[in-house]
Coordinates of all heavy atoms in Angstrom, one line a residue:
M1 N -10.3 14.0 -13.6 CA -10.3 14.2 -12.2 C -9.8 13.0 -11.5 O -10.3 11.9 -11.9 CB -11.6 14.6 -11.6 CG -11.6 15.0 -10.2 SD -13.1 15.8 -9.6 CE -14.1 14.4 -9.4
L2 N -9.0 13.1 -10.5 CA -8.5 11.9 -9.8 C -9.0 11.9 -8.2 O -8.8 13.0 -7.7 CB -7.0 11.9 -9.8 CG -6.3 11.8 -11.1 CD1 -4.8 12.0 -10.9 CD2 -6.6 10.5 -11.8
T3 N -9.5 10.8 -7.8 CA -9.8 10.7 -6.5 C -9.0 9.5 -5.9 O -9.1 8.4 -6.6 CB -11.3 10.5 -6.3 OG1 -12.0 11.6 -7.0 CG2 -11.8 10.4 -4.8
K4 N -8.5 9.7 -4.7 CA -7.7 8.6 -4.1 C -8.2 8.1 -2.8 O -8.6 9.0 -2.0 CB -6.2 9.1 -4.0 CG -5.6 9.6 -5.2 CD -4.4 10.2 -4.9 CE -3.8 11.1 -6.2 NZ -2.6 11.8 -5.8
R5 N -8.2 6.8 -2.7 CA -8.6 6.3 -1.3 C -7.5 5.3 -0.9 O -7.1 4.3 -1.6 CB -9.9 5.5 -1.5 CG -10.5 5.1 -0.1 CD -11.9 4.5 -0.3 NE -11.7 3.1 0.0 CZ -12.5 2.1 -0.5 NH1 -13.4 2.5 -1.3 NH2 -12.3 0.9 -0.2
F6 N -6.9 5.6 0.3 CA -5.8 4.8 0.8 C -6.3 3.9 1.8 O -7.2 4.1 2.5 CB -4.8 5.7 1.3 CG -4.0 6.5 0.4 CD1 -4.4 7.8 0.1 CD2 -2.9 6.0 -0.3 CE1 -3.8 8.5 -0.8 CE2 -2.2 6.7 -1.3 CZ -2.7 8.0 -1.5
F7 N -5.7 2.6 1.9 CA -6.1 1.6 2.8 C -5.1 1.5 4.0 O -3.9 1.6 3.7 CB -6.2 0.2 2.1 CG -7.2 0.2 1.0 CD1 -6.7 0.4 -0.3 CD2 -8.5 0.1 1.2 CE1 -7.7 0.4 -1.4 CE2 -9.5 0.2 0.2 CZ -9.0 0.3 -1.1
K8 N -5.5 1.4 5.2 CA -4.6 1.3 6.4 C -3.8 0.0 6.4 O -2.7 0.1 6.9 CB -5.5 1.4 7.7 CG -6.0 2.8 7.8 CD -6.8 2.8 9.2 CE -7.5 4.2 9.3 NZ -8.2 4.3 10.5
T9 N -4.4 -1.0 5.9 CA -3.7 -2.4 6.1 C -3.0 -2.9 4.7 O -2.5 -4.0 4.7 CB -4.7 -3.4 6.5 OG1 -5.8 -3.5 5.5 CG2 -5.2 -3.1 7.9
K10 N -3.2 -2.1 3.7 CA -2.7 -2.5 2.3 C -1.7 -1.4 1.8 O -1.9 -0.2 2.0 CB -3.7 -2.8 1.4 CG -4.6 -4.0 1.8 CD -5.7 -4.3 0.7 CE -6.6 -5.4 1.2 NZ -7.6 -5.6 0.2
N11 N -0.7 -1.8 1.1 CA 0.1 -0.9 0.3 C -0.3 -0.6 -1.0 O 0.4 -0.7 -2.0 CB 1.6 -1.4 0.4 CG 2.2 -1.3 1.7 OD1 1.9 -0.5 2.6 ND2 3.1 -2.3 2.0
E12 N -1.6 -0.2 -1.1 CA -2.2 0.2 -2.3 C -3.4 1.3 -2.1 O -3.8 1.4 -1.1 CB -2.8 -1.1 -3.0 CG -3.9 -1.7 -2.3 CD -4.5 -3.0 -3.0 OE1 -3.7 -3.6 -3.9 OE2 -5.6 -3.4 -2.7
A13 N -3.5 1.9 -3.2 CA -4.6 3.0 -3.2 C -5.6 2.7 -4.3 O -5.3 2.3 -5.3 CB -3.9 4.3 -3.4
E14 N -6.9 3.0 -4.0 CA -7.9 2.9 -5.0 C -8.0 4.3 -5.7 O -8.3 5.3 -5.0 CB -9.2 2.5 -4.5 CG -10.3 2.3 -5.6 CD -11.6 2.0 -4.9 OE1 -12.3 2.9 -4.3 OE2 -12.1 0.7 -5.1
I15 N -7.7 4.3 -7.0 CA -7.8 5.6 -7.7 C -9.0 5.5 -8.7 O -9.2 4.7 -9.3 CB -6.5 5.8 -8.6 CG1 -5.2 5.5 -7.8 CG2 -6.6 7.1 -9.4 CD1 -5.0 6.4 -6.7
T16 N -9.7 6.6 -8.5 CA -10.9 6.8 -9.3 C -10.6 7.8 -10.4 O -10.2 9.0 -10.1 CB -12.2 7.3 -8.6 OG1 -12.5 6.4 -7.5 CG2 -13.4 7.4 -9.5
F17 N -10.5 7.4 -11.7 CA -10.3 8.2 -12.8 C -11.5 8.7 -13.4 O -12.5 7.9 -13.7 CB -9.5 7.5 -13.9 CG -8.1 7.0 -13.5 CD1 -8.0 5.8 -12.9 CD2 -7.0 7.8 -13.8 CE1 -6.7 5.3 -12.5 CE2 -5.7 7.3 -13.4 CZ -5.6 6.1 -12.8
E18 N -11.7 10.0 -13.5 CA -13.0 10.7 -14.1 C -12.7 11.5 -15.2 O -11.7 12.4 -15.0 CB -13.8 11.2 -13.1 CG -14.5 10.3 -12.0 CD -15.5 11.1 -11.1 OE1 -15.3 12.3 -10.8 OE2 -16.4 10.4 -10.6
F19 N -13.4 11.5 -16.2 CA -13.1 12.3 -17.4 C -14.4 12.7 -18.1 O -15.3 11.9 -18.3 CB -12.2 11.5 -18.4 CG -11.8 12.5 -19.5 CD1 -10.8 13.4 -19.3 CD2 -12.3 12.2 -20.8 CE1 -10.4 14.2 -20.4 CE2 -11.9 13.0 -21.8 CZ -10.9 14.0 -21.7
S20 N -14.6 14.0 -18.4 CA -15.9 14.5 -19.0 C -15.4 15.0 -20.6 O -14.4 15.8 -20.6 CB -16.4 15.7 -18.2 OG -17.6 16.1 -18.9
H21 N -16.2 14.5 -21.4 CA -16.0 15.0 -22.8 C -17.3 15.0 -23.5 O -17.9 14.0 -23.7 CB -14.9 14.1 -23.5 CG -14.5 14.8 -24.9 ND1 -15.3 14.8 -26.0 CD2 -13.3 15.4 -25.3 CE1 -14.6 15.3 -27.0 NE2 -13.5 15.7 -26.5
P22 N -17.8 16.2 -23.9 CA -19.2 16.3 -24.3 C -19.6 15.5 -25.5 O -20.7 15.0 -25.6 CB -19.4 17.9 -24.6 CG -18.0 18.4 -24.6 CD -17.1 17.5 -23.8
E23 N -18.7 15.4 -26.5 CA -19.0 14.6 -27.7 C -18.6 13.2 -27.7 O -18.9 12.5 -28.7 CB -18.4 15.3 -28.9 CG -19.1 16.6 -29.2 CD -18.2 17.8 -28.9 OE1 -17.0 17.7 -28.9 OE2 -18.8 18.9 -28.3
A24 N -17.9 12.7 -26.7 CA -17.3 11.4 -26.7 C -18.4 10.3 -26.5 O -19.3 10.4 -25.7 CB -16.4 11.2 -25.6
S25 N -18.2 9.2 -27.4 CA -19.1 8.1 -27.2 C -18.3 6.9 -26.4 O -18.9 6.1 -25.9 CB -19.7 7.5 -28.4 OG -18.5 7.2 -29.3
K26 N -17.0 7.0 -26.4 CA -16.2 6.1 -25.7 C -14.9 6.7 -25.2 O -14.2 7.5 -26.0 CB -15.8 4.9 -26.7 CG -14.9 3.9 -26.0 CD -14.6 2.7 -27.1 CE -13.9 1.6 -26.6 NZ -13.6 0.6 -27.7
V27 N -14.4 6.5 -23.9 CA -13.2 7.0 -23.5 C -12.5 5.8 -22.8 O -13.1 5.0 -22.2 CB -13.4 8.1 -22.4 CG1 -12.1 8.4 -21.8 CG2 -14.1 9.3 -23.0
E28 N -11.2 5.7 -23.2 CA -10.3 4.7 -22.6 C -9.2 5.2 -21.8 O -8.7 6.2 -22.2 CB -9.8 3.7 -23.8 CG -11.0 3.0 -24.5 CD -10.4 2.4 -25.8 OE1 -10.0 3.2 -26.6 OE2 -10.5 1.3 -25.8
L29 N -8.9 4.6 -20.7 CA -7.7 4.9 -19.9 C -6.5 4.0 -20.4 O -6.6 2.9 -20.5 CB -7.9 4.6 -18.4 CG -6.8 4.9 -17.6 CD1 -6.4 6.3 -17.4 CD2 -7.0 4.2 -16.2
V30 N -5.4 4.8 -20.8 CA -4.3 4.1 -21.4 C -3.2 4.5 -20.4 O -2.9 5.7 -20.2 CB -4.0 4.5 -22.8 CG1 -2.9 3.7 -23.4 CG2 -5.2 4.4 -23.6
A31 N -2.5 3.5 -19.7 CA -1.5 3.8 -18.7 C -0.4 2.9 -18.7 O -0.5 1.7 -19.1 CB -2.3 3.8 -17.3
E32 N 0.7 3.3 -18.1 CA 1.8 2.5 -18.0 C 1.6 1.3 -17.0 O 2.2 0.2 -17.2 CB 3.1 3.3 -17.6 CG 3.1 3.8 -16.2 CD 4.4 4.6 -15.9 OE1 5.5 4.1 -16.3 OE2 4.3 5.5 -15.0
F33 N 0.7 1.5 -16.0 CA 0.5 0.4 -14.9 C -0.2 -0.8 -15.7 O -0.2 -1.9 -15.0 CB -0.1 0.9 -13.8 CG -1.5 1.6 -14.0 CD1 -2.6 0.8 -14.3 CD2 -1.6 2.9 -13.8 CE1 -3.9 1.5 -14.4 CE2 -2.8 3.6 -14.1 CZ -3.9 2.9 -14.4
N34 N -0.7 -0.7 -16.8 CA -1.3 -1.9 -17.5 C -0.7 -2.0 -18.9 O -1.3 -2.5 -19.8 CB -2.8 -1.8 -17.6 CG -3.3 -0.8 -18.5 OD1 -2.6 0.2 -18.8 ND2 -4.5 -0.9 -18.9
D35 N 0.6 -1.7 -19.0 CA 1.4 -1.8 -20.3 C 0.8 -1.1 -21.4 O 0.8 -1.5 -22.7 CB 1.7 -3.3 -20.6 CG 2.6 -4.1 -19.6 OD1 3.5 -3.4 -19.1 OD2 2.2 -5.2 -19.3
W36 N 0.2 0.1 -21.1 CA -0.4 0.9 -22.2 C -1.5 0.3 -22.9 O -1.7 0.6 -24.1 CB 0.7 1.5 -23.1 CG 1.7 2.3 -22.3 CD1 2.9 1.9 -22.0 CD2 1.5 3.7 -21.8 NE1 3.5 2.9 -21.2 CE2 2.7 3.9 -21.1 CE3 0.4 4.5 -21.8 CZ2 2.9 5.2 -20.5 CZ3 0.7 5.7 -21.1 CH2 1.9 6.1 -20.5
Q37 N -2.2 -0.7 -22.4 CA -3.4 -1.4 -23.1 C -4.6 -0.6 -22.7 O -4.9 -0.4 -21.5 CB -3.5 -2.8 -22.6 CG -2.3 -3.6 -23.1 CD -2.1 -3.6 -24.6 OE1 -3.0 -3.9 -25.4 NE2 -0.9 -3.2 -25.0
P38 N -5.5 -0.1 -23.6 CA -6.7 0.6 -23.3 C -7.6 -0.1 -22.4 O -7.9 -1.4 -22.6 CB -7.3 1.0 -24.7 CG -6.2 0.8 -25.6 CD -5.2 -0.2 -25.0
I39 N -8.2 0.6 -21.4 CA -9.3 0.0 -20.5 C -10.4 0.9 -20.8 O -10.3 2.1 -20.5 CB -8.9 0.1 -19.1 CG1 -7.6 -0.7 -18.8 CG2 -10.0 -0.5 -18.2 CD1 -7.0 -0.5 -17.4
T40 N -11.6 0.4 -21.2 CA -12.8 1.2 -21.5 C -13.3 1.6 -20.1 O -13.5 0.9 -19.2 CB -13.8 0.3 -22.2 OG1 -13.2 -0.1 -23.4 CG2 -15.1 1.2 -22.5
M41 N -13.6 3.0 -20.1 CA -14.2 3.6 -18.9 C -15.7 3.6 -19.0 O -16.3 3.6 -20.1 CB -13.6 5.1 -18.8 CG -12.2 5.1 -18.6 SD -11.6 6.8 -18.6 CE -12.2 7.4 -16.9
K42 N -16.5 3.4 -17.9 CA -17.8 3.4 -17.9 C -18.4 4.8 -17.8 O -18.0 5.6 -17.2 CB -18.3 2.6 -16.6 CG -19.8 2.5 -16.6 CD -20.2 1.7 -15.3 CE -21.7 1.6 -15.2 NZ -22.1 0.8 -14.1
F43 N -19.5 5.0 -18.7 CA -20.1 6.3 -18.8 C -21.2 6.3 -17.6 O -22.1 5.5 -17.6 CB -20.7 6.6 -20.2 CG -21.5 7.9 -20.2 CD1 -20.6 9.1 -20.3 CD2 -22.8 8.0 -20.4 CE1 -21.2 10.2 -20.3 CE2 -23.4 9.3 -20.4 CZ -22.6 10.4 -20.4
I44 N -21.2 7.3 -16.9 CA -22.1 7.5 -15.8 C -23.1 8.7 -16.3 O -22.7 9.9 -16.3 CB -21.4 8.0 -14.4 CG1 -20.3 7.0 -14.1 CG2 -22.5 8.0 -13.3 CD1 -20.7 5.5 -13.9
K45 N -24.3 8.2 -16.6 CA -25.2 9.1 -17.2 C -25.5 10.5 -16.3 O -25.5 11.5 -16.8 CB -26.5 8.5 -17.5 CG -26.5 7.9 -18.9 CD -28.0 7.3 -19.2 CE -27.9 6.6 -20.5 NZ -29.3 6.1 -20.8
K46 N -25.8 10.2 -15.1 CA -26.3 11.2 -14.1 C -25.1 12.2 -14.0 O -25.5 13.5 -13.7 CB -26.8 10.7 -12.9 CG -25.7 10.2 -11.9 CD -26.3 9.9 -10.6 CE -25.2 9.5 -9.6 NZ -25.6 9.7 -8.3
D47 N -23.9 11.9 -14.0 CA -22.7 12.8 -13.8 C -22.2 13.3 -15.2 O -21.4 14.2 -15.2 CB -21.6 12.1 -13.1 CG -22.0 11.7 -11.7 OD1 -23.0 12.3 -11.1 OD2 -21.4 10.8 -11.1
K48 N -22.6 12.6 -16.3 CA -22.2 12.9 -17.6 C -20.6 12.8 -17.7 O -19.9 13.7 -18.2 CB -22.7 14.3 -18.1 CG -24.1 14.4 -18.3 CD -24.6 15.7 -18.8 CE -26.1 15.7 -18.8 NZ -26.7 16.9 -19.1
R49 N -20.1 11.8 -17.0 CA -18.6 11.6 -17.0 C -18.3 10.1 -17.2 O -19.1 9.3 -16.9 CB -18.1 11.8 -15.5 CG -18.2 13.3 -15.3 CD -17.5 13.5 -13.8 NE -17.5 14.9 -13.5 CZ -16.4 15.7 -13.8 NH1 -15.4 15.1 -14.3 NH2 -16.4 16.9 -13.4
F50 N -17.1 9.9 -17.6 CA -16.6 8.5 -17.8 C -15.8 8.2 -16.5 O -15.1 9.1 -16.0 CB -15.8 8.4 -19.0 CG -16.5 8.5 -20.3 CD1 -16.8 9.7 -20.9 CD2 -17.0 7.4 -20.9 CE1 -17.4 9.9 -22.0 CE2 -17.8 7.4 -22.1 CZ -18.0 8.8 -22.7
R51 N -15.9 7.0 -16.0 CA -15.3 6.7 -14.7 C -14.8 5.4 -14.7 O -15.4 4.3 -15.3 CB -16.4 6.9 -13.6 CG -15.7 6.6 -12.2 CD -16.9 6.8 -11.1 NE -17.3 8.2 -11.1 CZ -18.5 8.6 -10.8 NH1 -19.5 7.7 -10.5 NH2 -18.9 9.9 -10.9
L52 N -13.6 5.1 -14.0 CA -12.9 3.9 -13.8 C -12.2 3.9 -12.5 O -11.6 4.9 -12.2 CB -12.0 3.6 -14.9 CG -11.2 2.4 -14.9 CD1 -12.0 1.2 -15.5 CD2 -9.8 2.4 -15.6
K53 N -12.3 2.8 -11.7 CA -11.6 2.6 -10.5 C -10.5 1.6 -10.7 O -10.8 0.6 -11.3 CB -12.5 2.2 -9.4 CG -13.4 3.3 -8.9 CD -14.3 2.9 -7.7 CE -15.2 4.0 -7.3 NZ -15.9 3.8 -6.1
H54 N -9.3 1.8 -10.2 CA -8.3 0.9 -10.3 C -7.3 1.0 -9.2 O -7.1 2.1 -8.6 CB -7.5 1.2 -11.5 CG -6.5 0.1 -12.0 ND1 -7.0 -0.8 -12.8 CD2 -5.2 0.0 -11.8 CE1 -6.0 -1.7 -13.1 NE2 -4.8 -1.2 -12.5
R55 N -6.9 -0.2 -8.5 CA -6.0 -0.2 -7.4 C -4.6 -0.2 -8.0 O -4.2 -0.9 -8.9 CB -6.3 -1.3 -6.6 CG -7.5 -1.3 -5.8 CD -7.7 -2.3 -4.7 NE -9.0 -2.1 -4.1 CZ -9.3 -2.6 -3.0 NH1 -8.3 -3.5 -2.3 NH2 -10.4 -2.4 -2.3
L56 N -3.7 0.6 -7.3 CA -2.4 0.8 -7.7 C -1.5 0.8 -6.3 O -2.0 1.2 -5.2 CB -2.2 2.2 -8.3 CG -2.8 2.4 -9.6 CD1 -2.7 3.9 -10.1 CD2 -2.2 1.5 -10.7
P57 N -0.2 0.3 -6.5 CA 0.7 0.4 -5.3 C 1.0 1.7 -4.8 O 1.0 2.7 -5.6 CB 1.9 -0.4 -5.9 CG 1.7 -0.6 -7.3 CD 0.4 -0.2 -7.7
T58 N 1.2 1.9 -3.5 CA 1.4 3.3 -3.0 C 2.9 3.6 -3.1 O 3.7 2.8 -3.5 CB 1.1 3.4 -1.5 OG1 1.7 2.3 -0.9 CG2 -0.4 3.2 -1.3
E59 N 3.1 4.8 -3.0 CA 4.5 5.5 -3.0 C 5.1 5.4 -4.5 O 6.3 5.3 -4.6 CB 5.3 4.8 -2.0 CG 4.8 4.8 -0.6 CD 4.5 6.1 0.0 OE1 5.2 7.1 -0.3 OE2 3.5 6.3 0.7
K60 N 4.3 5.5 -5.5 CA 4.8 5.5 -6.8 C 4.1 6.6 -7.7 O 3.0 7.1 -7.2 CB 4.6 4.1 -7.5 CG 5.3 3.1 -6.8 CD 5.1 1.7 -7.5 CE 5.9 0.5 -6.9 NZ 7.2 0.3 -7.3
K61 N 4.7 6.8 -8.8 CA 4.0 7.7 -9.8 C 3.8 7.0 -11.0 O 4.7 6.2 -11.5 CB 4.9 8.9 -10.1 CG 5.1 9.9 -8.9 CD 5.9 11.1 -9.2 CE 6.1 12.0 -7.9 NZ 6.8 13.1 -8.3
F62 N 2.7 7.2 -11.7 CA 2.3 6.5 -12.9 C 1.9 7.5 -14.0 O 1.1 8.4 -13.7 CB 1.2 5.4 -12.6 CG 1.6 4.4 -11.7 CD1 1.2 4.5 -10.3 CD2 2.2 3.2 -12.0 CE1 1.5 3.6 -9.4 CE2 2.5 2.2 -11.2 CZ 2.1 2.5 -9.8
H63 N 2.3 7.2 -15.3 CA 1.9 8.0 -16.4 C 0.6 7.4 -17.0 O 0.5 6.2 -17.1 CB 3.0 8.0 -17.5 CG 4.2 8.7 -17.1 ND1 4.9 9.6 -17.9 CD2 5.0 8.7 -16.0 CE1 5.9 10.1 -17.3 NE2 5.9 9.6 -16.1
F64 N -0.2 8.3 -17.5 CA -1.5 7.8 -18.2 C -2.0 8.9 -19.1 O -1.7 10.1 -18.9 CB -2.5 7.4 -17.2 CG -3.1 8.5 -16.4 CD1 -4.4 9.2 -16.7 CD2 -2.5 9.1 -15.2 CE1 -5.0 10.2 -16.1 CE2 -3.0 10.2 -14.5 CZ -4.3 10.7 -14.9
R65 N -3.0 8.5 -19.9 CA -3.6 9.4 -20.8 C -5.1 8.9 -21.1 O -5.3 7.7 -20.9 CB -2.9 9.6 -22.2 CG -1.6 10.4 -22.0 CD -1.0 10.8 -23.2 NE -1.8 12.2 -23.4 CZ -1.5 12.9 -24.6 NH1 -1.0 12.4 -25.6 NH2 -2.1 14.0 -24.7
Y66 N -5.9 9.7 -21.6 CA -7.2 9.2 -22.0 C -7.3 9.2 -23.6 O -6.8 10.2 -24.2 CB -8.3 10.2 -21.6 CG -8.4 10.4 -20.0 CD1 -8.1 11.5 -19.3 CD2 -8.8 9.2 -19.2 CE1 -8.2 11.4 -17.9 CE2 -8.9 9.2 -17.9 CZ -8.6 10.4 -17.2 OH -8.7 10.4 -15.9
L67 N -7.9 8.2 -24.1 CA -8.0 8.1 -25.5 C -9.6 8.2 -25.8 O -10.5 7.4 -25.3 CB -7.6 6.7 -26.0 CG -7.7 6.4 -27.5 CD1 -6.9 7.5 -28.3 CD2 -7.1 5.0 -27.9
I68 N -10.0 9.2 -26.6 CA -11.4 9.6 -26.9 C -11.7 9.0 -28.3 O -11.1 9.3 -29.2 CB -11.5 11.0 -26.8 CG1 -11.2 11.6 -25.4 CG2 -13.1 11.4 -27.2 CD1 -10.7 13.0 -25.5
D69 N -12.7 8.1 -28.3 CA -13.2 7.5 -29.5 C -12.2 6.9 -30.4 O -12.3 6.9 -31.6 CB -14.1 8.5 -30.3 CG -15.4 9.0 -29.6 OD1 -15.9 8.1 -28.8 OD2 -15.8 10.1 -29.7
G70 N -11.1 6.4 -29.8 CA -10.1 5.7 -30.4 C -9.2 6.6 -31.3 O -8.4 6.0 -32.0
K71 N -9.3 7.8 -31.2 CA -8.5 8.8 -32.2 C -7.8 10.0 -31.5 O -7.0 10.5 -32.1 CB -9.3 9.1 -33.4 CG -10.6 9.7 -33.1 CD -11.4 9.9 -34.4 CE -12.8 10.5 -34.0 NZ -13.7 10.2 -34.9
Q72 N -8.5 10.6 -30.5 CA -8.0 11.8 -29.9 C -7.6 11.5 -28.5 O -8.2 10.9 -27.7 CB -9.2 12.7 -29.9 CG -8.8 14.1 -29.3 CD -10.1 14.9 -29.1 OE1 -11.2 14.7 -29.7 NE2 -9.9 16.1 -28.3
W73 N -6.3 12.0 -28.2 CA -5.7 11.9 -26.9 C -6.0 13.1 -26.1 O -6.0 14.3 -26.6 CB -4.2 11.8 -27.0 CG -3.8 10.4 -27.7 CD1 -3.5 10.2 -28.9 CD2 -3.6 9.1 -27.0 NE1 -3.2 8.9 -29.2 CE2 -3.3 8.2 -28.0 CE3 -3.9 8.7 -25.7 CZ2 -3.2 6.8 -27.7 CZ3 -3.8 7.5 -25.5 CH2 -3.4 6.5 -26.4
D74 N -6.0 13.0 -24.8 CA -6.3 14.1 -23.9 C -5.7 13.7 -22.5 O -5.5 12.5 -22.2 CB -7.7 14.5 -23.6 CG -7.9 15.9 -23.4 OD1 -6.8 16.6 -22.8 OD2 -9.0 16.5 -23.3
N75 N -5.4 14.7 -21.7 CA -4.8 14.5 -20.4 C -6.0 14.8 -19.4 O -6.9 15.5 -19.7 CB -3.6 15.4 -20.1 CG -2.3 14.9 -20.8 OD1 -2.2 13.7 -21.0 ND2 -1.5 15.9 -21.2
D76 N -5.6 14.5 -18.2 CA -6.5 14.7 -17.0 C -6.1 16.1 -16.6 O -4.9 16.3 -16.2 CB -6.3 13.7 -15.8 CG -7.3 13.8 -14.8 OD1 -7.5 15.0 -14.3 OD2 -7.9 12.8 -14.5
H77 N -7.0 17.1 -16.6 CA -6.7 18.5 -16.3 C -6.5 18.7 -14.8 O -6.2 19.9 -14.3 CB -7.7 19.4 -17.0 CG -7.7 19.1 -18.4 ND1 -6.8 19.5 -19.3 CD2 -8.7 18.6 -19.2 CE1 -7.1 19.1 -20.5 NE2 -8.3 18.6 -20.6
N78 N -6.8 17.6 -14.0 CA -6.5 17.9 -12.5 C -5.5 16.7 -12.2 O -5.6 16.3 -10.9 CB -7.9 17.5 -11.8 CG -8.8 18.7 -12.1 OD1 -8.4 19.9 -11.9 ND2 -10.0 18.5 -12.5
A79 N -4.6 16.3 -13.0 CA -3.7 15.3 -12.7 C -2.6 15.8 -11.6 O -2.6 17.2 -11.4 CB -2.9 14.9 -13.9
D80 N -1.9 14.9 -11.0 CA -0.8 15.3 -10.1 C 0.4 16.0 -10.7 O 1.1 16.6 -10.0 CB -0.5 14.2 -9.2 CG -1.6 13.6 -8.4 OD1 -2.5 14.3 -7.9 OD2 -1.6 12.3 -8.2
G81 N 0.5 15.8 -11.9 CA 1.6 16.4 -12.7 C 1.5 15.9 -14.1 O 0.7 15.2 -14.5
Y82 N 2.6 16.5 -14.8 CA 2.6 16.1 -16.4 C 4.0 15.8 -16.7 O 5.0 16.5 -16.0 CB 2.1 17.2 -17.2 CG 0.6 17.6 -16.8 CD1 0.4 18.6 -15.9 CD2 -0.5 16.8 -17.4 CE1 -1.0 18.9 -15.4 CE2 -1.7 17.1 -16.9 CZ -1.9 18.1 -16.0 OH -3.3 18.4 -15.7
A83 N 4.3 15.0 -17.6 CA 5.7 14.8 -18.1 C 5.7 14.6 -19.5 O 4.8 14.0 -20.2 CB 6.2 13.5 -17.3
A84 N 6.8 15.0 -20.2 CA 6.9 14.8 -21.6 C 7.0 13.3 -22.1 O 7.6 12.5 -21.2 CB 8.1 15.5 -22.1
N85 N 6.4 13.0 -23.1 CA 6.5 11.6 -23.6 C 7.3 11.7 -24.9 O 7.7 12.7 -25.5 CB 5.1 11.0 -23.8 CG 4.2 11.7 -24.7 OD1 4.6 12.3 -25.7 ND2 2.8 11.7 -24.5
G86 N 7.4 10.5 -25.5 CA 8.3 10.4 -26.7 C 7.5 10.7 -28.0 O 7.9 10.5 -29.1
F87 N 6.2 11.3 -27.9 CA 5.4 11.5 -29.0 C 5.1 13.1 -29.2 O 4.2 13.4 -29.9 CB 4.1 10.8 -28.9 CG 4.3 9.3 -28.9 CD1 4.3 8.7 -27.6 CD2 4.4 8.5 -30.0 CE1 4.4 7.3 -27.4 CE2 4.6 7.2 -29.9 CZ 4.5 6.6 -28.6
G88 N 5.9 13.9 -28.5 CA 5.8 15.3 -28.7 C 4.6 15.9 -27.9 O 4.3 17.1 -28.2
S89 N 4.2 15.2 -26.9 CA 3.1 15.8 -26.1 C 3.5 15.4 -24.7 O 4.5 14.9 -24.4 CB 1.8 15.2 -26.5 OG 1.8 13.8 -26.5
E90 N 2.5 15.4 -23.7 CA 2.7 15.1 -22.3 C 1.8 14.1 -21.9 O 0.6 13.9 -22.4 CB 2.5 16.4 -21.6 CG 3.5 17.5 -21.6 CD 3.3 18.6 -20.7 OE1 2.2 18.9 -20.4 OE2 4.3 19.2 -20.3
N91 N 2.2 13.3 -20.9 CA 1.3 12.4 -20.2 C 0.9 13.0 -18.8 O 1.6 13.9 -18.3 CB 2.1 11.1 -19.8 CG 2.4 10.3 -21.1 OD1 1.8 10.4 -22.1 ND2 3.4 9.4 -21.0
S92 N -0.3 12.6 -18.4 CA -0.7 13.0 -17.0 C 0.0 12.0 -16.0 O 0.4 10.9 -16.4 CB -2.2 12.7 -16.9 OG -2.9 13.5 -17.8
I93 N 0.1 12.5 -14.8 CA 0.8 11.6 -13.7 C -0.2 11.5 -12.6 O -0.7 12.5 -12.1 CB 2.1 12.3 -13.3 CG1 3.1 12.3 -14.4 CG2 2.7 11.5 -12.1 CD1 4.4 12.9 -14.1
V94 N -0.3 10.3 -12.1 CA -1.0 10.1 -10.8 C 0.1 9.6 -9.8 O 0.9 8.7 -10.1 CB -2.2 9.1 -10.9 CG1 -1.7 7.7 -11.4 CG2 -2.8 8.9 -9.6
D95 N 0.1 10.3 -8.6 CA 1.0 10.0 -7.7 C 0.3 9.4 -6.5 O -0.6 10.0 -5.9 CB 1.7 11.4 -7.2 CG 2.9 11.2 -6.1 OD1 3.0 10.1 -5.6 OD2 3.5 12.2 -5.9
T96 N 0.8 8.1 -6.1 CA 0.1 7.4 -5.1 C 0.8 7.5 -3.7 O 0.7 6.7 -2.8 CB -0.1 5.9 -5.4 OG1 1.3 5.3 -5.6 CG2 -0.9 5.8 -6.6
Q97 N 1.6 8.5 -3.5 CA 2.2 8.8 -2.2 C 1.2 9.2 -1.1 O 0.4 10.1 -1.4 CB 3.3 9.9 -2.4 CG 4.1 10.2 -1.1 CD 5.1 11.3 -1.3 OE1 5.5 11.4 -2.4 NE2 5.6 11.8 -0.2
R98 N 1.4 8.6 -0.1 CA 0.5 8.9 1.1 C 0.8 10.3 1.7 O 2.1 10.5 1.9 CB 0.5 7.9 2.2 CG 0.0 6.6 1.9 CD 0.2 5.6 3.1 NE -0.1 4.3 2.7 CZ -1.2 3.6 2.9 NH1 -2.2 4.2 3.6 NH2 -1.4 2.3 2.5
L99 N -0.1 11.1 1.9 CA 0.2 12.4 2.4 C -0.1 12.3 3.9 O -1.0 11.6 4.4 CB -0.8 13.4 1.9 CG -0.7 13.7 0.3 CD1 -1.8 14.6 -0.2 CD2 0.7 14.1 0.0
A100 N 0.9 13.0 4.6 CA 0.9 12.9 6.1 C -0.2 13.7 6.7 O -0.8 14.4 6.1 CB 2.2 13.5 6.7

């Protein structure tokens, strides 16, 4: 799940990435905005979800995926869109365009 918060005085948005996987002990966000380097997401016990907040420039689209326990890939099922990647699957897309 993606939650977006836009700032009036900055050309950036705070994106909250949330992902739930019942058997996962570790989930990492892997995205083009950080050169595809995994970022470990924090597990929130009360919500039973992994969460990470990251600021991104507005008016752009970014590809990302979740890496579960270092071996299984998954997409955000509430992403803004999906695009084919070079590995025979799809990436999730987050769109930071401000809505009117």
